């Protein structure tokens, strides 16, 4: 009996669980993020989205965005997928400059898809802000019931 009491007295203190958000915040503060360089920033995406939106009713013979939008959602999605695959190929190949160009293509075609779907960048930025500082694993687990309710066919 004395041994049990002694073991309990010298046992390591119990670790208390730290909430996921706090762990993510600690991790975020321990990562060194380089300062932004003096040059273009993400606001270019808002401007590009506005340009694509302005081309929605333009002549498809005069505007690449208008031509894509006139071909419908399936073709827009196909083109986005093609560009995404090209981006992946350049990433796997370690071709940094080609990856930059293909990344720009992916972002452009994503914006075309947003315009086609009637989405505004602010809606996506708000969702990113909601997820900011949250563990990716915890965020994905929190979305699972919502995805199930919507009947999505996404691969987990």
């Amino acid at each position: 009996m004395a041994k049990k009491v002694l073991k309990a007295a010298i046992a390591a203190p119990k670790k208390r669980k730290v909430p996921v958000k706090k762990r993510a915040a600690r991790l975020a503060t321990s990562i060194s993020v380089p300062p932004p360089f003096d040059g273009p920033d993400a606001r270019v995406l808002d401007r590009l989205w506005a340009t694509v939106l302005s081309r929605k009713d333009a002549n498809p013979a005069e505007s690449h965005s208008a031509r894509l939008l006139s071909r419908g959602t399936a073709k827009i999605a196909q083109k986005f997928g093609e560009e995404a695959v090209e981006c992946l190929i350049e990433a796997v190949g370690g071709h940094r400059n080609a990856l930059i160009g293909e990344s720009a293509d992916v972002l452009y075609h994503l914006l075309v898809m947003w315009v086609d779907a009637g989405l505004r960048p602010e809606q996506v930025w708000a969702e990113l802000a909601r997820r900011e500082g949250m563990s990716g694993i915890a965020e994905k687990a929190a979305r699972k019931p919502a995805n199930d309710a919507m009947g999505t066919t996404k691969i987990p």
Side-chain angles (χ1 to χ4, degrees):
M1 177 80 172
K3 285 184 181 180
K4 286 184 182 178
V5 172
L6 181 59
K7 281 184 181 178
I10 59 173
K14 290 185 179 179
K15 289 185 178 182
R16 59 167 224 224
K17 286 197 161 198
V18 178
V20 172
K21 282 188 178 182
K22 285 188 180 179
R23 284 192 305 244
R26 285 184 195 162
L27 179 63
T29 58
S30 67
I31 296 173
S32 175
V33 177
F37 66 93
D38 190 25
D41 59 30
R43 289 177 290 188
V44 71
L45 293 173
D46 290 324
R47 293 190 302 272
L48 182 55
W49 176 84
T51 300
V52 173
L53 181 64
S54 75
R55 302 298 201 286
K56 192 171 184 174
D57 296 319
N59 182 348
E62 297 175 6
S63 165
H64 180 64
S65 297
R67 184 175 15 189
L68 283 170
L69 290 163
S70 72
R71 297 177 80 187
T73 303
K75 193 64 175 176
I76 292 167
Q78 177 187 349
K79 189 63 178 165
F80 174 76
E82 290 169 3
E83 297 298 338
V85 169
E86 290 172 12
C87 190
L88 295 170
I89 290 167
E90 300 304 343
V92 170
H95 307 129
R96 189 175 187 279
N97 288 336
L99 177 59
I100 291 169
E102 293 300 339
S103 295
D105 290 346
V106 166
L107 290 172
Y108 165 74
H109 286 88
L110 179 62
L111 294 174
V112 171
M113 197 167 6
W114 290 357
V115 167
D116 180 63
L119 297 180
R120 298 185 55 88
E122 298 86 2
Q123 293 170 293
V124 178
W125 308 157
E127 178 61 14
L128 288 171
R130 184 189 70 78
R131 296 178 184 188
E132 191 173 19
M134 185 185 296
S135 156
I137 293 171
E139 189 280 327
K140 191 166 184 172
R143 281 194 264 153
K144 188 170 177 11
N147 286 345
D148 290 346
M150 290 186 297
T152 183
T153 58
K154 287 183 3 180
I155 299 170

